[in-house]
């Protein structure tokens, strides 16, 4: 009988330990709100825009991006201002990975800013940098976009 009790106790401890590893901070909605809070705090600049192997970062030199309320993104600089939309969506609600979050950007004009329009996958995020990637379904090219905080 003691042998059964020891196994039951070990199984109980295993279950408690495993359950304690699950953190509500890792939920998709938490990750989503963390990215939204991060992006909407301050202004950002593009430090890398790689369009299928061609670095085109200079198209955005001098522009600061503000990810504001009501999903409005504003790019201002060089005496110009352009508005678009942005959002962060969870593309797979059954997983708690940041890899399943999409950073959506949409500009209708000018052409250079319209190139940013996509549902970007988040590669990494920190308090000063958001790195994004998009693998095209059409031509198979891979685009990279990096925002760094001003």
């Amino acid at each position: 009988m003691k042998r059964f009790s020891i196994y039951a106790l070990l199984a109980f401890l295993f279950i408690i330990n495993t359950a304690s590893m699950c953190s509500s901070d890792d939920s998709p909605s938490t990750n989503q709100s963390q990215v939204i809070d991060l992006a909407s705090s301050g202004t950002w600049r593009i430090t890398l825009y790689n369009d299928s192997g061609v670095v085109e970062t200079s198209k955005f030199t001098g522009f600061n991006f503000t990810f504001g309320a009501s999903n409005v993104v504003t790019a201002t600089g060089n005496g110009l201002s352009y508005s678009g939309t942005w959002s962060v969506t969870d593309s797979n609600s059954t997983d708690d990975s940041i890899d399943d979050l999409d950073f959506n950007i949409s500009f209708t004009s000018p052409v250079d800013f319209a190139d940013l329009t996509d549902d970007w996958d988040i590669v990494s995020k920190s308090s000063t940098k958001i790195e994004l990637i998009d693998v095209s379904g059409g031509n198979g090219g891979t685009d990279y976009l990096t925002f760094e905080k001003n």
Side-chain angles (χ1 to χ4, degrees):
M1 189 70 176
K2 285 185 179 183
R3 179 173 264 156
F4 176 77
S5 296
I6 290 172
Y7 290 123
L9 177 62
L10 289 173
F12 176 75
L13 290 174
F14 174 77
I15 291 169
I16 294 298
N17 187 40
T18 303
S20 70
M21 287 186 225
C22 298
S23 168
S24 62
D25 290 343
D26 293 337
S27 71
S29 61
T30 300
N31 281 335
Q32 185 176 359
S33 63
Q34 288 172 346
V35 174
I36 291 168
D37 290 346
L38 173 64
S40 61
S41 66
T43 61
W44 300 80
R45 67 189 181 283
I46 293 177
T47 57
L48 174 67
Y49 177 63
N50 182 318
D51 185 6
S52 299
V54 178
V55 176
E56 300 178 351
T57 310
S58 62
K59 292 179 176 181
F60 309 101
T61 300
F63 283 92
N64 291 313
F65 291 78
T66 303
F67 298 96
S70 302
N71 299 95
V72 174
V73 58
T74 305
T76 56
N78 305 326
L80 302 168
S81 182
Y82 304 110
S83 292
T85 60
W86 77 287
S87 64
V88 178
T89 56
D90 183 7
S91 63
N92 182 357
S93 61
T94 63
D95 192 344
D96 64 359
S97 172
I98 193 168
D99 296 340
D100 292 327
L101 293 179
D102 289 336
F103 196 103
N104 308 292
I105 301 172
S106 178
F107 282 95
T108 55
S109 64
V111 172
D112 290 341
F113 285 81
D115 286 345
L116 300 175
T117 299
D118 221 321
D119 57 336
W120 298 87
D121 294 322
I122 300 170
V123 175
S124 69
K125 68 174 178 63
S126 72
S127 61
T128 59
K129 185 184 285 190
I130 302 171
E131 294 178 303
L132 308 170
I133 189 171
D134 180 63
V135 178
S136 173
N139 64 8
T142 302
D143 300 340
Y144 299 92
L145 178 61
T146 301
F147 287 98
E148 290 194 44
K149 199 167 201 171
N150 288 319

